[in-house]
């Protein structure tokens, strides 16, 4: 810890305050001020210019309120549907953490030091390629109905005919024989495309976080398990999984909050309206849409605050219930 | 931090092979989009329609695509390099100074300042993009690279200072006191003690903020209007939004956009790997 200094010394060292000045000027101007301005403007009808009109809570009432006069609910349908979408995506994004955990454990158990290093190098490689490039390659080469790799692979592996069979059985009317699967253009397939995106779902940062956690497990624990004759799976369930709970919890928080907050993927793959039928609309994108497309900046600020409230609740739940017992 | 990377190994040699195979397969699937990108970047649309996924004979390779991609992307890349380098340097200078302030002494008001600092961390950054747009407009920083740089410098401070403060606090205090005896100013102490002793973590933070600035597209997309100011991300989005696409051109542009970072990575692999695997996650 930094030690406390006497007042005299502090006066003598007054120039030190200049060290902290830049950061407060920067944060004050470009972080605190806009945040407070966002809260302030959520009570205004504001289209981004100099004209603004105070409208009290009406922005929030438009998001969700009960009208006592005609006994009806007033709500922003698109916004609440977008929460349903984001809930589905969150569940799948959590499931998509599993390959990362598995790969981390596998790399950790590789016995050669050199390979452990090279596998880490290989993990970093996808991170060095700009995320946008990967995303656009997926959009253009993978998910395209006509020449897309996904459709090719599905045809070869027989998944396509399986899907057609299931379709006939359940009457979805999505997968037709002889017709390519229109991943990003058929409303019903938007969410499946977003889930499929990024296969095999190895998040480099995630794996590296898990590896850091695995590294801190002592070898003696493994030796003891070895003596007891534990097999690989038992070692995973009884040693690795519990001991990297901290890291899993950290990624769980990062994943849930990230899914709720980010909208870049949906924006880039599907456009500002969330794709055909708005099926890919997520809360952040709706905020962006209301601000920059519809020009209702005050309302967008209010939407942002509601999303923030959800994020805070989620963080609280995460801290409270996803406990680590060490 | 150690200079050599060492890992504890727990696996037994006996069952190594299946692990290697699974890991390699996962990596190959992960990397394969890059292969397709490279292959398509050497085709024109006719060749692509004919045979999308395999390399043609060398005589048919369309190097013109690469020329097109380079002409298109190089100005964007120059902007990106400028923005990224300025932001990384700016971020680190500001963060090192501020964390020195918090870590060196407990000055009057410093815990109050720290609380303000931490409290505002929870402020709604998500709703920010709209007010930030208005703010930059009134500061005349909209549609300028300096606006991006300033935003990026302000954006990463909290994490950087949070990490750096603890590292500076852990440095032996005798060092600072000895320096003070010799009459070294605080800037001297920063230069001679803090920066050399905290070099590994500063490197890690530099890598992280470099990657973040390099890959950012949301802010440039919202804040930049003129095509000559576009950064790589906006350039790629712009290219992708064109209706009729010559796929070879598009993929060659993607490839060229990826090259600078790959080159940097090849020369500083250790720094990247160490930065991303040890440092800040523990």
């Amino acid at each position: 810890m930094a030690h406390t200094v006497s007042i005299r010394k502090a006066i003598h060292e007054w120039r030190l305050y200049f060290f902290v000045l830049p950061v407060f000027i920067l944060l004050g101007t470009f972080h605190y001020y806009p945040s407070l301005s966002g809260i302030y403007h959520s009570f205004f009808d504001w289209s981004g210019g100099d004209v603004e009109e105070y409208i009290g809570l009406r922005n929030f009432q438009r998001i969700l309120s009960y009208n006592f006069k005609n006994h009806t609910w007033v709500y922003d349908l698109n916004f609440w549907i977008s929460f349903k979408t984001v809930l589905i995506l969150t569940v799948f994004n959590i499931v998509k953490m599993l390959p990362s955990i598995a790969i981390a454990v596998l790399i950790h158990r590789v016995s050669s030091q050199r390979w452990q290093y090279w596998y880490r190098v290989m993990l970093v490689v996808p991170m060095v390629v700009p995320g946008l490039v990967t995303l656009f390659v997926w959009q253009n080469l993978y998910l395209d109905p006509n020449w897309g790799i996904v459709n090719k692979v599905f045809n070869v592996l027989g998944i396509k005919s399986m899907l057609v069979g299931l379709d006939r059985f359940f009457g979805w009317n999505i997968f037709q024989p002889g017709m390519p699967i229109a991943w990003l253009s058929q409303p019903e397939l938007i969410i499946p495309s977003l889930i499929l995106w990024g296969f095999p779902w190895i998040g480099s940062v995630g794996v590296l976080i898990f590896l850091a956690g695995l590294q801190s497990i002592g070898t003696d624990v493994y030796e003891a398990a070895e003596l007891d004759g534990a097999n690989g799976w038992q070692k995973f369930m009884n040693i690795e999984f519990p001991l990297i709970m901290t890291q899993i919890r950290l990624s769980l928080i990062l994943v849930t909050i990230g899914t709720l907050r980010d909208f870049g993927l949906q924006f880039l793959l599907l456009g500002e309206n969330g794709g055909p039928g708005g099926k890919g609309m997520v809360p952040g994108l709706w905020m962006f849409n209301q601000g920059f497309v519809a020009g209702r900046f005050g309302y967008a600020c209010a939407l942002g605050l509601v999303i923030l409230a959800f994020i805070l609740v989620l963080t609280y739940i995460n801290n409270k219930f996803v406990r680590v017992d060490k | 931090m150690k200079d050599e990377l060492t890992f504890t190994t727990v696996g037994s040699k006996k069952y190594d092979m299946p692990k290697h195979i699974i890991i390699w397969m996962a990596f190959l699937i992960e990397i394969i989009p890059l292969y397709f990108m490279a292959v398509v970047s050497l085709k024109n649309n006719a060749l692509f329609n004919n045979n999308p996924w395999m390399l043609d004979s060398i005589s048919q390779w369309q190097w013109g695509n690469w020329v097109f991609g380079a002409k298109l992307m190089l100005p964007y890349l120059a902007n990106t390099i400028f923005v990224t380098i300025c932001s990384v340097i700016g971020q680190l200078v500001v963060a090192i100074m501020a964390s020195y302030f918090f870590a060196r002494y407990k000055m009057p008001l410093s815990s109050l300042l720290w609380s303000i600092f931490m409290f505002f961390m929870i402020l709604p950054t998500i709703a920010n993009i709209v007010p930030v747009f208005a703010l930059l407009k009134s500061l005349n920083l909209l549609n300028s690279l300096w606006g991006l740089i300033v935003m990026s410098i302000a954006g990463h401070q909290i994490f950087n200072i949070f990490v750096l403060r603890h590292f500076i606090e852990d440095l032996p205090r005798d060092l600072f006191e000895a320096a003070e005896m010799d009459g070294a100013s605080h800037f001297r102490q920063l230069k001679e003690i803090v920066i050399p002793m905290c070099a590994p973590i500063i490197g890690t933070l530099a890598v992280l903020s470099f990657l973040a600035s390099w890959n950012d597209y949301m802010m440039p997309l919202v804040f930049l209007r003129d095509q000559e100011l576009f950064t790589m991300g906006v350039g790629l989005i712009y290219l992708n939004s064109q209706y009729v696409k010559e796929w070879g051109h598009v993929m060659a542009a993607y490839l060229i956009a990826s090259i600078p970072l790959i080159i940097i990575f090849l020369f500083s692999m250790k720094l990247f790997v160490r930065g991303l695997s040890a440092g800040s996650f523990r």
Side-chain angles (χ1 to χ4, degrees):
Chain A
M1 271 317 283
H3 64 296
T4 318
V5 291
S6 64
I7 296 288
R8 255 182 66 196
K9 174 96 171 152
I11 292 171
H12 179 70
E13 299 279 14
W14 63 278
R15 286 184 215 86
L16 256 183
Y17 284 105
F18 282 103
F19 277 60
V20 83
L21 199 61
V23 86
F24 271 95
I25 292 176
L26 274 171
L27 285 177
T29 324
F30 296 100
H31 192 78
Y32 304 162
Y33 168 74
S35 300
L36 295 174
S37 150
I39 298 175
Y40 171 81
H41 279 111
S42 60
F43 300 103
F44 283 81
D45 185 5
W46 179 46
S47 49
D50 295 330
V51 193
E52 49 189 36
E53 186 199 343
Y54 179 74
I55 53 165
L57 286 173
R58 251 188 290 158
N59 278 331
F60 293 98
Q61 280 168 355
R62 236 173 78 193
I63 298 173
L64 181 69
S65 62
Y66 187 70
N67 188 333
F68 287 101
K69 274 192 200 129
N70 5 327
H71 297 282
T72 47
W73 284 96
V74 182
Y75 51 87
D76 183 342
L77 183 64
N78 283 320
F79 188 57
W80 296 111
I81 289 181
S82 77
F83 269 98
K84 200 181 118 195
T85 311
V86 93
L87 188 73
I88 300 172
L89 292 178
T90 309
V91 170
F92 278 96
N93 280 346
I94 292 172
V95 176
K96 279 153 101 174
M97 278 166 56
L98 294 179
S100 302
I101 299 178
I103 288 291
V105 169
L106 284 176
I107 294 180
H108 177 61
R109 288 198 193 164
V110 164
S111 63
S112 129
Q113 287 259 354
R114 184 176 303 163
W115 275 112
Q116 286 223 9
Y117 174 72
W118 283 108
Y119 284 144
R120 280 172 172 79
V121 173
M122 280 159 62
L123 273 175
V124 181
V125 171
M127 287 181 72
V128 213
V129 176
L132 277 178
V133 167
T134 323
L135 198 146
F136 287 142
V137 169
W138 262 85
Q139 183 188 19
N140 294 323
L141 299 185
Y142 270 51
L143 293 173
D144 189 280
N146 296 319
W147 60 72
I149 308 268
V150 172
N151 278 356
K152 285 250 162 70
V153 171
F154 272 30
N155 276 338
V156 171
L157 294 182
I159 299 176
K160 171 79 189 295
S161 38
M162 198 179 81
L163 286 173
V164 170
L166 283 174
D167 186 300
R168 219 170 264 154
F169 188 75
F170 289 105
W172 293 329
N173 230 353
I174 304 170
F175 305 105
Q176 319 283 352
M179 288 270 283
I181 308 176
W183 284 107
L184 286 172
S185 42
Q186 191 155 351
E188 292 86 355
L189 287 176
I190 300 285
I191 291 177
S193 313
L194 291 177
I195 293 168
L196 189 70
W197 186 82
F199 183 82
W201 310 311
I202 296 169
S204 300
V205 179
V207 179
L208 291 170
I209 292 178
F210 297 137
L211 272 173
L214 288 169
Q215 279 295 301
S216 58
I217 302 176
T219 42
D220 47 339
V221 188
Y222 284 95
E223 279 155 17
E226 210 108 300
L227 283 181
D228 290 345
N231 61 26
W233 177 248
Q234 285 168 333
K235 273 189 221 158
F236 174 71
M237 288 310 287
N238 296 318
I239 302 173
E240 280 146 357
F241 189 70
L243 285 178
I244 57 165
M245 220 37 220
T246 322
Q247 280 76 17
I248 292 180
R249 183 167 147 243
L250 175 68
S251 337
L252 205 64
I253 295 174
L254 291 178
V255 164
T256 40
I257 291 177
T259 316
L260 185 53
R261 189 188 54 198
D262 296 342
F263 53 92
L265 175 68
Q266 289 82 2
F267 175 72
L268 294 171
L269 283 181
L270 305 164
E272 58 204 15
N273 293 317
K279 291 285 181 188
M281 185 59 83
V282 287
L285 188 56
W286 183 242
M287 179 195 80
F288 183 86
N289 180 300
Q290 288 300 296
F292 289 99
V293 181
R296 300 188 195 116
F297 283 79
Y299 186 54
C301 289
L303 289 172
L305 283 182
V306 174
I307 299 171
L308 173 82
F310 275 93
I311 290 178
L312 288 182
V313 170
L314 255 180
T315 318
Y316 178 77
I317 294 174
N318 261 323
N319 284 333
K320 188 98 186 167
F321 296 105
V322 192
R323 262 271 141 81
V324 221
D325 301 305
K326 273 213 162 172
Chain B
M1 204 183 293
K2 288 159 293 188
D3 222 40
E4 280 284 301
L5 280 166
T6 48
F7 306 106
T8 54
T9 53
V10 296
S12 54
K13 274 231 161 60
K14 211 163 71 185
Y15 305 112
D16 253 8
M17 216 51 222
K19 292 174 210 157
H20 285 297
I21 293 171
I22 297 174
I23 296 172
W24 272 103
M25 266 167 51
F27 278 135
L28 284 183
I29 301 175
E30 186 90 9
I31 296 294
I32 226 166
L34 305 180
Y35 162 78
F36 288 133
M37 177 173 83
V39 168
V40 177
S41 78
L42 291 167
K43 295 172 185 289
N44 57 27
N45 270 3
L47 287 170
F48 177 68
N49 287 333
N50 236 344
N51 166 24
W53 308 127
M54 293 296 152
L55 276 174
D56 306 298
S57 59
I58 295 185
S59 56
Q60 283 177 304
W61 288 7
Q62 308 285 318
W63 292 106
N65 291 341
W66 285 48
V67 177
F68 173 88
K71 271 201 188 125
L72 183 76
M73 291 315 291
L74 286 182
Y76 300 155
L77 284 173
N79 288 336
T80 315
I81 291 170
F82 174 71
V83 170
T84 306
I85 289 179
C86 287
S87 340
V88 171
I89 293 174
Q91 266 177 43
L92 290 177
V93 168
V94 174
I96 291 172
M97 278 171 57
S99 23
Y100 181 78
F101 171 84
F102 284 119
R104 181 75 170 85
Y105 294 126
K106 202 167 166 10
M107 299 280 276
L109 290 184
S110 77
S111 47
L112 176 71
L113 288 175
W114 183 255
S115 319
I116 296 176
F117 191 67
M118 294 320 289
F119 171 73
F120 278 100
M121 199 171 112
I122 61 162
L123 271 183
T125 40
I126 177 165
N128 253 358
I129 199 158
V130 176
V132 161
F133 185 82
L135 172 73
L136 290 184
K137 202 160 131 193
S138 58
L139 289 177
N140 263 331
L141 283 172
L142 213 56
N143 198 16
S144 101
L145 295 181
W146 290 108
L148 287 183
I149 294 171
V150 170
M151 279 310 299
S152 151
I153 293 178
H156 294 93
Q157 286 307 329
I158 290 169
F159 175 72
N160 288 350
I161 295 177
F162 197 76
V163 173
L164 262 177
R165 182 196 169 169
H166 291 287
F167 273 83
I168 299 180
E169 275 176 358
D170 286 345
L171 296 179
R173 204 190 293 162
D174 312 354
L175 277 175
F176 290 112
E177 276 159 11
E180 210 152 86
M181 291 284 190
D182 294 343
S185 67
H186 285 299
F187 271 110
R188 267 301 287 288
Q189 293 178 39
L190 264 185
K191 210 179 93 198
E192 310 274 327
I193 302 172
V194 174
I195 293 178
M197 303 263 308
C198 291
I201 186 68
I202 292 175
T204 304
L205 293 175
V207 166
L208 288 177
S209 54
F210 189 96
L211 282 177
S213 287
W214 187 268
N215 284 323
D216 186 29
Y217 57 88
M218 217 29 150
M219 280 205 294
L221 184 69
V222 177
F223 299 148
L224 298 177
R225 285 281 165 276
D226 294 346
Q227 208 181 334
E228 56 273 23
L229 292 177
F230 279 3
T231 56
M232 180 201 70
V234 197
L236 291 175
I237 295 174
Y238 182 74
L239 180 70
N240 195 52
S241 64
Q242 280 166 347
Y243 195 66
V244 184
K245 287 175 189 142
E246 177 79 37
W247 289 111
H249 287 178
V250 174
M251 292 300 149
Y254 291 173
L255 194 76
I256 284 166
S258 331
I259 285 176
L261 218 53
I262 293 178
I263 294 175
I264 296 176
F265 173 68
L266 287 179
F267 286 105
S268 56
M269 206 145 57
K270 264 223 164 101
L271 186 67
F272 267 75
V273 174
R274 185 173 57 196
L276 293 167
S277 61
S280 43
F281 295 135
R282 293 209 178 157

